Each structure stands twice: as structure tokens, then as C-alpha cells.
């Protein structure tokens, strides 16, 4: 019997309209479902609790192969809230960090960072030079010793100082029309809710003086 299951939002989205696991299978042993790869939509939470199992712990997690760990994950001592990752991981000085004010922020979109060294951090990249140029360029671009993970996040405060957290997409793909930061995940959510859309790709393109960049 499976007690813990790992999946992805894409898999759950493919299952929504045609698969009813809770009706067709004995899931009495299932306690936890982990999801990673991209942010879980609110509809994914609804599907899991309506069609899979009503008392399972659904943990949307975010971290990476590079750290063999999670910056944000589920916590069995805290409630699961639709659309949110539950809490920052133990032993991690992680937060939503605004570069302009140089402060941690709540209820605003900012960078996911870890401000202090942590045990799971890699020490180098294979094949990098002696100055670790690729490694430092990937995560320590500001030169302030802060690990910039590359995600645009928003701490809601629903679980106090430790969370919850909403991931809006990669910070390096953030769109900023009129100075308003929009994560690509926010666009995908609505585009892929349309039945006629099988797949989609969000691309930011600079527009200058009413023309696309590079247009003649």
C-alpha cells in the first residue's frame, strides 16, 4: 500500500476531467501527496481533496536537485491552504526578499532567497573554474552572500512568519508591464483553463515606441 506519493501539477491537470482515484481505488493507506515541478493551482487542490482523498496531506514543495532539499514544503503540524506552499524548511534562513529595499517582505512579490549558509548548499559546480564563476553567477550574483534561487514568491503570512508562500514563477521570466510584476504562472493558470488550449508558452518581449523590439 502506498502511503506517500510524488506527482506533478501537469499530471494532476491531465487527470482532472477523466480520473477519479478515490472512487476506483483503495487509498486508505495514502497519507501524503507531494507535488513539484511547477506551482499547484487552486483547482489542483480542489481535485485532490474532492476526487482523490479528503484527508490526505497535500504538500506542494519547492527546492531543487541542486540543493537536494526544499526551501518551501509541507508541514504536518500546519494547515494546508489552497494555492499555497505551507512553510519554509527547518534550518533555512529563507524569505521573500525585495532587492530595492533590501528587506524581507510579506504580502508582496519578491525574490526567494536564503540569507544564511545552509547544510544542503552545494559547494561547487562540476567542471567550474577555480573561482567558481558559474556557481557564483548562478546563485550569488549580488555578491552579498545571499543565495538567490530565481523564484518570484509572495509570503502571505497565513502560517505566521514561516509561511504560507505562493510561487508566481521564475523571477528571471517575470513580466513587468507598467511596473507591475506578473509571474508567468499567473498567465499559464488562465491560458490552460481554456479547453481548446493543449499547451502554452509565455514569452516576455520588450516593446519600444509601439513596435516590437527589433522591428523595422
Amino acid at each position: 500500500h502506498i502511503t506517500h506519493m510524488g506527482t506533478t501539477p501537469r499530471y494532476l491537470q491531465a487527470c482532472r476531467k477523466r480520473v477519479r482515484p478515490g472512487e476506483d481505488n483503495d487509498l486508505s493507506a495514502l497519507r501524503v501527496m507531494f507535488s513539484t515541478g511547477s506551482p499547484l493551482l487552486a483547482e489542483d487542490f480542489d481535485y485532490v481533496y474532492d476526487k482523490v482523498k479528503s484527508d490526505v496531506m497535500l504538500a506542494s514543495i519547492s527546492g531543487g536537485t541542486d540543493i537536494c532539499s526544499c526551501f518551501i514544503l509541507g508541514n504536518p503540524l500546519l494547515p494546508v491552504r489552497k494555492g499555497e506552499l505551507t512553510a519554509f524548511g527547518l534550518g533555512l534562513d529563507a524569505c521573500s526578499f525585495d532587492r530595492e529595499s533590501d528587506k524581507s517582505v510579506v504580502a508582496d512579490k519578491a525574490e526567494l532567497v536564503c540569507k544564511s549558509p545552509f547544510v544542503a548548499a552545494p559547494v561547487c559546480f562540476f567542471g567550474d573554474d577555480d573561482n567558481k564563476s558559474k556557481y557564483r553567477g548562478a546563485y550569488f550574483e549580488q555578491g552579498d552572500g545571499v543565495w538567490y534561487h530565481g523564484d518570484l514568491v509572495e509570503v502571505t503570512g497565513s502560517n505566521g512568519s514561516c509561511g504560507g508562500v505562493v510561487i508566481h514563477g521564475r523571477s528571471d521570466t517575470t513580466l513587468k508591464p507598467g511596473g507591475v510584476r506578473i509571474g508567468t504562472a499567473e498567465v499559464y493558470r488562465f491560458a490552460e483553463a481554456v479547453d481548446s488550449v493543449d499547451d502554452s508558452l509565455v514569452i516576455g518581449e520588450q516593446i519600444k515606441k509601439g513596435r516590437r523590439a527589433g522591428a523595422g
Side-chain angles (χ1 to χ4, degrees):
H1 293 288
I2 296 174
T3 59
H4 292 66
M5 173 186 173
T7 186
T8 67
R10 178 66 69 182
Y11 180 78
L12 293 177
Q13 289 158 23
C15 291
R16 273 190 218 154
K17 296 182 179 180
R18 59 184 67 90
V19 182
R20 302 292 181 267
E23 297 176 7
D24 303 329
N25 302 276
D26 178 9
L27 301 179
S28 57
L30 184 63
R31 296 165 49 199
V32 182
M33 287 182 64
F34 302 103
S35 176
T36 189
S38 62
L40 273 180
L41 302 180
E43 294 83 353
D44 298 324
F45 283 80
D46 290 336
Y47 170 71
V48 168
Y49 285 108
D50 291 344
K51 304 302 181 183
V52 180
K53 194 178 184 187
S54 61
D55 63 350
V56 72
M57 173 184 158
L58 178 57
S60 183
I61 63 178
S62 177
T65 305
D66 41 2
I67 65 171
C68 300
S69 181
C70 297
F71 281 121
I72 320 168
L73 68 170
N75 185 322
L77 302 179
L78 295 173
V80 175
R81 289 185 168 86
K82 184 163 61 176
E84 297 185 4
L85 286 74
T86 306
F88 291 114
L90 292 174
L92 294 169
D93 188 15
C95 68
S96 176
F97 188 75
D98 181 65
R99 296 194 192 205
E100 295 180 2
S101 65
D102 202 34
K103 294 181 180 179
S104 302
V105 295
V106 175
D108 199 5
K109 298 170 187 175
E111 296 268 357
L112 172 61
V113 306
C114 192
K115 297 193 291 183
S116 303
F118 54 100
V119 174
V123 295
C124 64
F125 284 169
F126 181 77
D128 205 352
D129 58 36
D130 292 340
N131 293 323
K132 302 183 180 180
S133 300
K134 292 181 180 179
Y135 174 61
R136 296 181 188 281
Y139 298 114
F140 298 97
E141 58 179 340
Q142 300 299 309
D144 53 3
V146 173
W147 175 291
Y148 289 85
H149 198 57
D151 285 335
L152 179 69
V153 302
E154 179 181 350
V155 176
T156 67
S158 62
N159 284 324
S161 60
C162 63
V165 183
V166 177
I167 296 182
H168 293 286
R170 297 292 295 173
S171 58
D172 52 7
T173 60
T174 299
L175 309 177
K176 200 172 181 180
V180 179
R181 303 185 79 179
I182 301 174
T184 51
E186 298 174 80
V187 183
Y188 287 127
R189 175 182 179 182
F190 292 100
E192 296 180 3
V194 179
D195 291 337
S196 59
V197 175
D198 291 327
D199 205 351
S200 60
L201 183 64
V202 178
I203 300 174
E205 185 176 15
Q206 294 294 329
I207 305 294
K208 295 183 178 181
K209 296 181 180 179
R211 295 171 179 261
R212 285 187 173 85

